[in-house]
């Protein structure tokens, strides 16, 4: 049986900055899969893309990652236009991929499923419930908090959150997402609300401030590892979760897994593109950072 299966769309990202245009592959599933490509784990990616992104699928397969491609008329197509201050961007969705449905996932079995929806209608709650009957569900919640109206991306709350989260074992959110979900600016209060709704491990990433994980009423403080350089933050959260779930699948405790994920994210931010290192690279980096 698979230890870990990620389900999510690979995107085509158009990035516009200072009148320069770049076209890149992206999405939770893309960065998560790359981060695991040289780890020792039984892993599979399930994605849905249009023909335009099949070369990206072939690239992942060439790295030894088993990829199942579900049919979709289009790939998700994000356009990100950055102002001179890179903290400000205009985001649009020019194409959407077909959603994932329960009947497409009948044959997949894994101990843990990591779900990476990018938009609110990528995965109906029925998918979460069905996968929870087969194994643990880990969820990056960001997609359920994004809605597309007239190509524009709008931040929304998740109306079905309390129904869905009772089936989610592990949830990853950043500070802003936690506040949208719970209405609380307090990480402690917000985390406890999610736990009350059924989440067993609440992972809150705090950027350069590290991360906090709540499990069984205890908060684990995970420090950020100082990166060698800050080059490209895209996909850092996905890389963190890849490292975290990889270590949890091997039996590591929450503190150990969180620190490993944080170190992976710090290594990734120092380079452009996805993380492609090994477990030993991460362990060496952690040792040198002590």
């Amino acid at each position: 049986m698979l230890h870990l299966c990620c389900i999510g769309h690979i995107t085509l990202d158009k990035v516009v900055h200072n009148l320069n245009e770049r076209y890149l592959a992206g999405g939770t599933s893309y960065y998560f899969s790359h981060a695991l490509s040289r780890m020792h784990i039984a892993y599979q990616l399930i994605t849905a893309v249009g023909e335009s992104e099949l070369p990206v699928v072939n690239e992942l397969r060439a790295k030894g990652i088993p990829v199942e491609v579900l049919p979709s008329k289009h790939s998700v197509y994000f356009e990100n236009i950055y102002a001179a201050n890179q903290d400000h961007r205009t985001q649009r969705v020019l194409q959407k991929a077909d959603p994932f449905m329960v009947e497409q996932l009948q044959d997949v079995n894994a101990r843990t499923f990591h779900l990476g929806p990018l938009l609110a209608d990528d995965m109906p709650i029925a998918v979460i419930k069905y996968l929870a009957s087969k194994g643990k569900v880990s969820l990056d919640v960001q997609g359920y908090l994004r809605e597309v109206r007239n190509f524009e991306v709008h931040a929304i709350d998740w109306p079905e959150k309390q129904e869905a989260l009772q089936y989610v074992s592990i949830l990853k959110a950043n500070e802003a997402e936690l506040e949208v979900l719970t209405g609380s600016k307090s990480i402690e209060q917000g985390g406890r609300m999610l736990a009350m709704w059924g989440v067993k491990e609440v992972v809150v990433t705090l950027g350069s401030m590290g991360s906090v994980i709540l499990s069984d009423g205890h908060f684990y403080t995970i420090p950020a590892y100082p990166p060698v350089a800050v080059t490209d933050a895209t996909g850092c959260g996905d890389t963190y979760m890849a490292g975290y779930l990889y270590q949890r699948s091997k039996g590591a405790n929450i503190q150990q897994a969180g620190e490993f994920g944080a170190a992976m994210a710090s290594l990734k931010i120092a380079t452009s593109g996805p993380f492609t290192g090994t477990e030993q690279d991460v362990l060496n980096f952690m040792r040198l950072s002590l």
Side-chain angles (χ1 to χ4, degrees):
M1 178 185 287
L2 294 171
H3 289 107
L4 188 54
C5 175
C6 180
I7 302 173
H9 294 112
I10 295 172
T11 69
L12 171 62
D13 292 346
K14 176 183 178 182
V15 179
V16 182
H17 183 242
N18 291 335
L19 301 180
N20 293 319
E21 293 184 1
R22 292 186 300 154
Y23 293 86
L24 308 166
T28 293
S29 63
Y30 178 77
Y31 287 99
F32 189 91
S33 296
H34 268 285
L36 290 175
S37 64
R38 297 174 69 191
M39 303 290 165
H40 303 291
I41 186 171
Y43 171 72
Q44 181 184 25
L45 167 63
I46 298 177
T47 191
V49 297
E51 281 192 29
S52 61
E53 268 50 68
L54 288 178
V56 178
V57 170
N58 292 334
E59 169 202 333
L60 289 169
R61 286 172 172 160
K63 292 179 177 292
I65 298 170
V67 184
E68 180 180 349
V69 180
L70 302 176
S72 179
K73 185 175 182 180
H74 300 292
S75 297
V76 182
Y77 184 5
F78 277 95
E79 178 185 71
N80 298 299
I81 301 176
Y82 287 89
N85 178 352
Q86 288 205 45
D87 289 337
H88 299 285
R89 73 175 179 184
T90 302
Q91 187 176 63
R92 298 199 303 160
V93 175
L94 306 182
Q95 287 181 171
K96 293 171 67 174
D98 296 339
F100 296 93
M101 306 303 290
V102 168
E103 52 268 25
Q104 297 172 312
L105 304 172
Q106 300 290 319
D107 295 333
V108 62
N109 292 287
R111 294 177 185 169
T112 301
F113 298 93
H114 183 60
L115 309 185
L118 301 173
L119 300 168
D121 54 0
D122 278 357
M123 298 179 190
I125 287 184
V127 166
I128 296 177
K129 292 180 178 179
Y130 176 68
L131 294 175
S133 72
K134 292 187 166 195
K136 287 184 179 180
V137 171
S138 168
L139 172 65
D140 188 323
V141 77
Q142 65 174 342
Y144 284 113
L145 307 179
R146 291 175 177 161
E147 183 178 65
V148 179
R149 299 194 296 267
N150 296 322
F151 301 105
E152 302 289 336
V153 178
H154 297 268
I156 60 166
D157 194 2
W158 184 11
E160 301 165 302
K161 59 192 175 188
Q162 290 193 47
E163 179 186 355
L165 292 180
Q166 59 189 301
Y167 299 96
V168 174
S169 294
I170 304 164
L171 181 137
K172 179 260 180 189
N174 62 27
E175 281 180 281
E177 292 160 353
L178 182 68
E179 182 178 348
V180 171
L181 273 176
T182 66
S184 176
K185 293 182 181 293
S186 164
I187 292 169
E188 180 175 340
Q189 183 180 17
R192 291 193 187 281
M193 287 180 68
L194 294 180
M196 182 179 67
W197 294 341
V199 181
K200 303 296 187 297
E201 295 174 27
V202 179
V203 180
V204 184
T205 56
L206 307 171
S208 61
M209 301 300 292
S211 55
V212 174
I213 303 171
L214 170 62
S215 179
D216 289 328
H218 179 75
F219 284 90
Y220 298 82
T221 300
I222 312 297
Y225 285 80
V228 176
V230 177
T231 302
D232 180 9
T234 308
C236 278
D238 305 317
T239 303
Y240 177 108
M241 285 305 293
Y244 180 76
L245 293 175
Y246 170 64
Q247 286 295 318
R248 292 293 278 155
S249 76
K250 293 179 61 179
N253 64 35
I254 288 174
Q255 187 72 35
Q256 293 167 333
E259 291 176 2
F260 186 90
M264 271 184 80
S266 289
L267 282 173
K268 183 263 160 291
I269 204 172
T271 59
S272 294
F275 178 82
T276 56
T278 66
E279 180 174 8
Q280 193 59 50
D281 291 334
V282 180
L283 295 174
N284 290 343
F285 178 66
M286 294 173 73
R287 187 168 58 250
L288 293 172
S289 299
L290 291 176

